[in-house]
Amino acid sequence: MNRLSVGRRIASNIDGFRSVQRTLCSNTGVKNPDFVSGKEPLDKPGLTDDIPQYDIAIVGGGMVGMALACSLATMPLTKQLSVAIIDSNPALLNNFHIKKEDPPDPRVSTVTPATISFFKGMGAWEFVQQNRHAYFDKMQVWDYTGLGYTRYNARDVDADVLGCVVENKVLHKSLLSCIQNTDFRKTIYSSRLSSITFPARSSMTSSSGTSSSASGSSARLELDNGNSMYAKLVVGADGSKSCVREMARIQTTGWKYPQSAIICSVEHAIENFCAWQRFLPNGPIALLPIGEKFSNIVWSMDPKEPVDRNSMSEDDFVKAVNHALDTGYGPHPKSKSFEGGNVFSWLKADSTSSPHEGFEVPPKVIKLVSQRMAFPLSLMHANSYASKRLVLIGDAAHTVHPLAGQGVNMGFADALSLSKVIAEGVAVGSDIGEVTLLKRYESERKAANITMMAILDGFQKAYSIDFMPINILRALAFNGAQYISPLKRKIISYASGNQLLPLFT
């Protein structure tokens, strides 16, 4: 073999260890995300390499990221995996405590029966029940025109509840407590991810088709505190502004809504057991029970309105909320207006709906008990959820309008689906970072998420138009859902986490 051919072979082997350097959003040690490293290979793995190696690195220790970790910790096939959780939130390390006497936080989630079952299966729901939460078995939806309304009841689908409203900090704490009760091999890094390096394709496998080394076939993560690690799979659970998604150069589709939302917690003179939502000209307002005579407000409005609403005195804001939930902008719907010989009565297949399911006025708000928080609303969907050694879940993959409270439930469904796919890969000895395995998660969740997003976006657009023919169509939809029992059951089932579409199954 001449020197020229030997030189070429050595150069080819060196190229095999070169990697593509891509960078996350960090103010510390940020590099050009388009920089391609052609000079410095990954650190050589082996006995001299003391960088820790993990099976999975979860970037983002919020509710969805922790739900994935908790699910992995409690499944027989995955509980032996080693997991790194990367999040700068000090609460993950400080073991924060929730005082029952504290007023409710304005950041809450409405979890569906499917999510409740997920938490129960992991053993996390028992921790939720130790803190403030509120089940509800009824929900009323109507709009400002007074032309129609719908009341949903859990007994319409032979269920005990339609959902449960829980403060986000309670859900987060319950997941953390659940993990701490296991012997799961986890390491929490209280820092930010500054860069990530994927191995070049030629270093993924040796000539025999097997992995050349553990670290050589793994992603390398650099943290802003100087720590490094290798991981076979990187999970982006770092929210709607996901740096992991940007690092992977995954494009998104979406738009900003001409709305912002205000959230806050309020108090009533009596306890609220029903979820309420009224569609107003500029967006819906929801009143959600959170227990102990408290409720949560989620009020979508024109982007300029939150400034005025937040500058109001507490008394004036309470008056504005009661106005929006009562006769402000329009009259109450009439309970009997579509009954008797109406166009829907012949479609009412059974008598499961209560004869007393007439329109009700929500309980009055008497006091504001939290700060008012405002944020813009948008829709976003990642064009891809998975690539080699990387996958996105939760808000990193999709964000939706909060009008149905489905966003976090979609994220929890992602976490459950991904943990099952990883378990299936472990069962057959597959590489858990292999893209063909991760695409199974994507194919399952992408279709479900796009469907839900399309429905919610359609609702947002349909209720943003004040035009009499459209108003009449909305009234027909409200009353159809109210009086056509099979349709009502389908809607409740779908909103509860059943992926069957209400109109086509």
Side-chain angles (χ1 to χ4, degrees):
M1 185 179 294
N2 59 41
R3 292 183 179 180
L4 180 60
S5 62
V6 171
R8 286 176 178 172
R9 180 164 297 183
I10 292 173
S12 176
N13 290 337
I14 292 175
D15 287 340
F17 287 100
R18 290 177 180 167
S19 57
V20 177
Q21 179 76 33
R22 300 175 187 171
T23 309
L24 284 176
C25 311
S26 170
N27 293 327
T28 306
V30 175
K31 303 175 184 177
N32 187 335
D34 296 325
F35 172 71
V36 177
S37 173
K39 296 182 179 180
E40 296 183 6
L42 286 171
D43 287 349
K44 293 182 180 180
L47 295 177
T48 60
D49 188 355
D50 59 356
I51 299 175
Q53 166 83 34
Y54 295 95
D55 294 307
I56 301 171
I58 301 174
V59 183
M63 292 188 294
V64 173
M66 293 304 293
L68 173 62
C70 191
S71 183
L72 294 171
T74 54
M75 296 178 69
L77 289 171
T78 58
K79 64 182 181 181
Q80 301 302 323
L81 297 177
S82 59
V83 174
I85 301 171
I86 303 166
D87 195 302
S88 60
N89 183 0
L92 294 181
L93 291 175
N94 295 341
N95 195 22
F96 66 99
H97 296 282
I98 298 174
K99 297 179 181 179
K100 292 184 178 180
E101 62 270 20
D102 287 346
D105 192 89
R107 290 161 294 196
V108 306
S109 295
T110 303
V111 295
T112 63
T115 294
I116 294 172
S117 295
F118 177 35
F119 271 59
K120 287 182 177 179
M122 296 185 291
W125 194 250
E126 62 182 86
F127 298 101
V128 173
Q129 293 179 306
Q130 295 171 11
N131 295 278
R132 184 189 296 115
H133 62 286
Y135 292 103
F136 61 93
D137 61 356
K138 294 182 288 293
M139 180 175 184
Q140 178 175 286
V141 185
W142 74 109
D143 76 0
Y144 65 95
T145 65
L147 296 177
Y149 72 98
T150 304
R151 283 186 65 84
Y152 300 100
N153 197 306
R155 67 169 172 267
D156 293 335
V157 289
D158 298 321
D160 295 323
V161 298
L162 295 176
C164 185
V165 185
V166 190
E167 293 165 66
N168 289 353
K169 65 181 182 182
V170 171
L171 290 172
H172 195 214
K173 176 64 175 179
S174 70
L175 293 165
L176 188 57
S177 299
C178 181
I179 292 176
Q180 290 171 341
N181 279 3
T182 69
D183 55 359
F184 192 48
R185 292 190 296 157
K186 70 179 187 310
T187 304
I188 297 176
Y189 291 85
S190 185
S191 55
R192 297 179 185 275
L193 185 62
S194 60
S195 68
I196 185 169
T197 307
F198 291 102
R201 290 181 180 273
S202 56
S203 68
M204 296 288 188
T205 57
S206 67
S207 58
S208 64
T210 59
S211 176
S212 58
S213 68
S215 58
S217 60
S218 298
R220 174 167 171 167
L221 296 85
E222 304 281 352
L223 309 186
D224 64 358
N225 62 3
N227 286 329
S228 301
M229 71 186 71
Y230 290 112
K232 298 176 184 176
L233 174 62
V234 179
V235 180
D238 51 341
S240 61
K241 297 180 180 179
S242 171
C243 292
V244 174
R245 188 182 66 239
E246 290 187 21
M247 169 274 304
R249 298 174 187 161
I250 296 175
Q251 299 298 309
T252 63
T253 301
W255 47 83
K256 295 180 180 179
Y257 288 115
Q259 292 176 336
S260 291
I262 283 183
I263 58 174
C264 61
S265 296
V266 297
E267 187 175 357
H268 308 284
I270 59 174
E271 190 162 0
N272 177 26
F273 296 100
C274 180
W276 314 81
Q277 186 167 57
R278 188 186 189 203
F279 286 90
L280 304 176
N282 291 332
I285 181 171
L287 181 72
L288 308 171
I290 50 180
E292 303 172 5
K293 298 184 180 179
F294 295 118
S295 288
N296 184 261
I297 295 287
V298 183
W299 191 353
S300 302
M301 57 187 69
D302 185 273
K304 298 179 181 179
E305 283 189 72
V307 176
D308 295 332
R309 299 295 185 189
N310 280 335
S311 63
M312 287 179 171
S313 67
E314 291 190 6
D315 288 342
D316 287 343
F317 182 78
V318 167
K319 289 178 182 178
V321 168
N322 285 326
H323 180 73
L325 287 168
D326 199 345
T327 55
Y329 307 97
H332 295 157
K334 296 180 180 179
S335 300
K336 304 296 182 180
S337 59
F338 283 84
E339 293 183 0
N342 72 81
V343 295
F344 299 108
S345 59
W346 67 278
L347 288 169
K348 193 170 182 178
D350 54 48
S351 57
T352 57
S353 295
S354 169
H356 304 294
E357 291 291 332
F359 178 83
E360 295 182 12
V361 178
K364 294 291 184 183
V365 172
I366 61 172
K367 185 180 178 182
L368 180 67
V369 296
S370 77
Q371 62 176 316
R372 286 161 275 183
M373 303 175 67
F375 54 92
L377 303 179
S378 63
L379 178 145
M380 182 279 296
H381 187 255
N383 295 347
S384 173
Y385 289 9
S387 61
K388 182 73 174 181
R389 310 230 166 272
L390 183 140
V391 68
L392 303 177
I393 61 174
D395 283 358
H398 45 75
T399 61
V400 295
H401 196 288
L403 65 86
Q406 289 293 333
V408 73
N409 294 291
M410 293 165 65
F412 287 140
D414 290 348
L416 175 59
S417 174
L418 180 58
S419 62
K420 288 181 176 179
V421 166
I422 292 172
E424 292 168 2
V426 172
V428 297
S430 297
D431 179 353
I432 61 173
E434 181 57 49
V435 68
T436 54
L437 178 70
L438 301 176
K439 285 294 182 180
R440 286 160 56 185
Y441 152 76
E442 179 179 296
S443 63
E444 175 184 330
R445 291 304 305 153
K446 200 171 188 180
N449 289 335
I450 288 176
T451 301
M452 179 62 78
M453 294 174 77
I455 292 173
L456 298 180
D457 186 60
F459 267 101
Q460 190 278 332
K461 288 178 168 56
Y463 287 94
S464 298
I465 302 173
D466 187 10
F467 181 55
M468 184 52 68
I470 301 298
N471 294 346
I472 293 174
L473 287 175
R474 289 201 304 254
L476 291 173
F478 271 127
N479 287 279
Q482 171 69 1
Y483 295 108
I484 303 175
S485 297
L487 176 60
K488 178 181 284 191
R489 288 196 296 269
K490 289 289 187 180
I491 292 172
I492 294 173
S493 180
Y494 183 70
S496 297
N498 187 331
Q499 295 303 319
L500 298 178
L501 292 177
L503 296 178
F504 305 105
T505 57

